[in-house]
Amino acid sequence: MNFRAILAGFTAAFIVAATSDTASAKQYVKNVHGRQVVVHTSPIPVVLHRLVPPQHGRHITERELQSGRTPNSGR
């Protein structure tokens, strides 16, 4: 298997997991350091937003928000 086939498999698995009815993920908009970010309760949508263009805005998890790993935080 080549890298593209492996990447396509992982991407397909993430899409299936993210769109399944059993997974309940919520999102909300928050202003952090004067910048609007979309906060997700599940990391799966964040991974998809970071992998698949267009990557409009900044998508972070609640865990990143709570730990301070946000845009312009220096981390």
Side-chain angles (χ1 to χ4, degrees):
M1 274 185 138
N2 62 22
F3 178 73
R4 287 186 182 181
I6 294 170
L7 182 61
F10 279 121
T11 303
F14 278 125
I15 290 170
V16 168
T19 59
S20 70
D21 289 340
T22 58
S24 63
K26 294 184 171 63
Q27 70 181 32
Y28 54 93
V29 177
K30 186 163 179 88
N31 283 320
V32 179
H33 304 292
R35 187 172 177 194
Q36 206 173 51
V37 296
V38 179
V39 183
H40 294 271
T41 57
S42 171
I44 294 171
V46 176
V47 171
L48 288 174
H49 283 294
R50 291 178 184 172
L51 286 177
V52 181
Q55 298 150 338
H56 295 293
R58 171 82 170 146
H59 296 263
I60 61 173
T61 63
E62 277 188 326
R63 184 175 288 177
E64 288 174 318
L65 180 66
Q66 292 169 354
S67 70
R69 293 181 293 167
T70 58
N72 301 327
S73 67
R75 289 188 181 174

